[in-house]
């Protein structure tokens, strides 16, 4: 409309009456359809709540078993396994990502094989393989130095930890690799130019910046791991789902105990999501909204 | 040799696949000298600079830094490639400033500067911080010590990058087109910092398009084209009275 670029105060065109509406009130748009949608959704939600409330679920049984001893023990086992399997998975993931990107062809091939094998077979199958390792190797250790009976070493706990952790490592390796690739090559060159070795550069410069890219998918994988631990119920690891099953085999309150387990999974995942938010904030240092961040305090002076 | 030159390059060749990026480049840089390398893009000037710091490996020929063979160890008739650790040690004495600054994004200006002294040189933190603050003051950025690179202008980032390189107490400084990525009004502050450095007696090799800076500060100017040194001489000889037609064309094109 304003074809004339010199729209200054002195432009007499702007004094014309049809332009003198600057004093009028601005009325925001109304979103009627949002209200309709919200109403429909609330109605649907109310229907679902009503269905569950009047369905054949004995909520007092849910409440009674929510903090039952076996459930609590299962919860602790689930949380411990999630933490340990993720620690193992992330450690392996970082090591194999670095090996995968190494100029050394031997290291690269090993990493390639690891990722190929453990991503290429089902997790359930891997858990069963670890649990039945004794069928392949009755004894493990270094022959002549120390040896143990495999059945004694590969408990349900060990089999679950190895199965989940090593499988997770194969996925995390790819996540870490994409994170490392996301860091500008100039960062590596600048680090080399101040006399850093390859590994110091990775540890001090590249990985901290890669974390920003790595954390959201790893957070996703931690949450996924909480639930994957339930697979260990097939190899008799006493996590929360297995313990809930043990109870309902005895008292036949199937749905009630499944609800108890589901609620606890939700609690754990919610707590973890909050943790992820703060971790992401920490590693966003120096990026994007940096200007609003408080100045860090110099530690030594 | 009483005082060996800071840099000696003899018959340096560098190939990228079938492309010959450096053809038989030989040059020496005396201590305290400021050598400006000019030339069109793709002429190999940045590659040569990166070879001095071993960010690129030379395919033939050799480079000595302050009398020490760079990147290799001579045993009899063969040159053995040094380990990652030994090359890192050699780089400690060479400061480098990049076109794109390459400040560490997750560290403040101060942290950027003390990183090398603490991590690579294992100097005590308190000493590194003290020296870093002096350097920040020298490049006029004392107030920005706690700013992250993303909060600094290009010119400020480049001045922090210069301070970061100087924190290693280098005997040689390499500049790879340090003002090419800057907005025109920010070029001056970076050139001023470099001019100060040259006056302090630092040996510098500067790849640049700033002919004014070369003319004023350089003790010698080298013109490179197609991977080879076309001519070299005093700033007057190269920038005002070039002999070779390619040098003449280049300078005419830049000044236009």
């Amino acid at each position: 409309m304003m074809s004339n670029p010199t729209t200054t105060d002195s432009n007499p065109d702007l004094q014309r009456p049809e332009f003198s509406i600057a004093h009028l009130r601005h009325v925001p748009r109304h979103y009627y359809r949002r209200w309709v949608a919200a109403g429909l959704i609330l109605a649907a939600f109310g229907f679902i709540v009503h269905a569950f409330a009047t369905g054949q679920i004995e909520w007092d049984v849910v409440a009674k078993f929510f903090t039952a001893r076996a459930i609590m023990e299962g919860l602790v086992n689930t949380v411990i396994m999630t933490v340990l399997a993720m620690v193992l998975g992330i450690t392996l993931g970082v090591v194999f990502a670095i090996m995968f990107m190494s100029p050394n062809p031997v290291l690269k091939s090993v990493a390639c094989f690891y990722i190929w094998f453990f991503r290429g077979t089902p997790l359930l199958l891997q858990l069963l393989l670890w649990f039945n390792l004794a069928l392949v190797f009755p004894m493990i250790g270094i022959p002549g130095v120390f040896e143990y009976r495999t059945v004694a070493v590969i408990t349900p706990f060990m089999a679950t930890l190895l199965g989940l952790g090593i499988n997770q490592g194969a996925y995390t390796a790819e996540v870490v690799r994409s994170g490392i690739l996301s860091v500008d090559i100039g960062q590596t060159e600048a680090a080399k130019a101040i006399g850093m070795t390859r590994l110091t550069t990775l540890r001090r410069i590249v990985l901290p910046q890669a974390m920003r890219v790595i954390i959201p998918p790893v957070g996703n994988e931690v949450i996924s791991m909480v639930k994957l631990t339930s697979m260990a119920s097939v190899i008799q690891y006493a996590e929360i789902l297995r313990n809930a099953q043990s109870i309902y085999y005895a008292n036949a309150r199937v749905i009630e105990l499944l609800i108890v387990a589901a609620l606890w999974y939700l609690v754990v995942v919610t707590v973890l999501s909050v943790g992820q938010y703060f971790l992401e904030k920490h590693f966003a240092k120096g990026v994007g909204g940096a200007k609003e961040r408080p100045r860090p305090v110099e530690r030594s002076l | 040799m009483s005082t060996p030159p800071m840099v000696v390059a003899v018959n340096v060749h560098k190939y990228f696949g079938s492309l010959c990026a450096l053809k038989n480049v030989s040059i020496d840089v005396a201590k305290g000298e400021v050598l400006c390398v000019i030339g069109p893009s793709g002429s190999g000037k940045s590659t040569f600079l990166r070879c001095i710091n071993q960010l690129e490996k030379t395919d033939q020929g050799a480079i000595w830094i302050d009398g020490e063979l760079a990147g290799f160890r001579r045993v009899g008739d063969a040159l053995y490639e040094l380990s990652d650790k030994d090359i890192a040690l050699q780089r400690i004495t060479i400061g480098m400033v990049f076109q794109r600054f390459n400040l560490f994004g997750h560290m403040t200006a101060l942290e950027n500067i003390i990183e090398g002294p603490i991590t690579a040189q294992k100097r005590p933190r308190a000493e590194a911080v003290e020296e870093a603050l002096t350097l920040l003051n020298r490049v006029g950025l004392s107030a920005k010590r706690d700013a992250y690179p993303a909060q600094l202008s290009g010119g400020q980032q480049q001045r922090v990058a210069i301070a970061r390189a100087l924190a290693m107490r280098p005997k040689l400084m390499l500049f790879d087109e340090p003002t090419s990525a800057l907005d025109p009004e920010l070029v001056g502050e970076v050139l001023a910092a470099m001019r100060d450095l040259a006056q302090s007696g630092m040996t510098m090799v500067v790849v640049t398009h700033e002919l004014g800076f070369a003319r004023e500060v350089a003790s010698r100017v080298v013109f490179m084209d197609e991977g080879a040194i076309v001519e070299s001489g005093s700033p007057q000889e190269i920038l005002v009275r070039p002999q070779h037609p390619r040098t003449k064309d280049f300078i005419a094109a830049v000044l236009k």
Side-chain angles (χ1 to χ4, degrees), chain A residues 62-78:
Chain A
V62 173
K64 184 181 157 206
F65 281 99
F66 193 67
T67 52
R69 192 184 161 82
I71 294 294
M72 288 294 104
E73 281 170 3
L75 176 67
V76 169
N77 284 343
T78 292

Side-chain angles (χ1 to χ4, degrees), chain A residues 103-123:
Chain A
N104 180 337
V106 179
L107 295 181
K108 196 183 164 78
S109 310
V110 170
C112 210
F113 176 83
Y114 167 77
I115 293 171
W116 171 77
F117 183 83
F118 287 99
R119 281 202 317 184
T121 51
L123 175 60

Side-chain angles (χ1 to χ4, degrees), chain A residues 1-33:
Chain A
M1 301 240 201
M2 301 262 185
S3 56
N4 187 352
T6 58
T7 52
T8 61
D9 290 350
S10 59
N11 189 336
D13 279 356
L14 295 184
Q15 310 300 325
R16 296 211 312 265
E18 65 262 40
F19 290 143
S20 349
I21 60 166
H23 59 284
L24 299 185
R25 193 167 58 94
H26 289 204
V27 181
R29 190 188 299 163
H30 288 288
Y31 297 96
Y32 299 112
R33 273 175 291 187

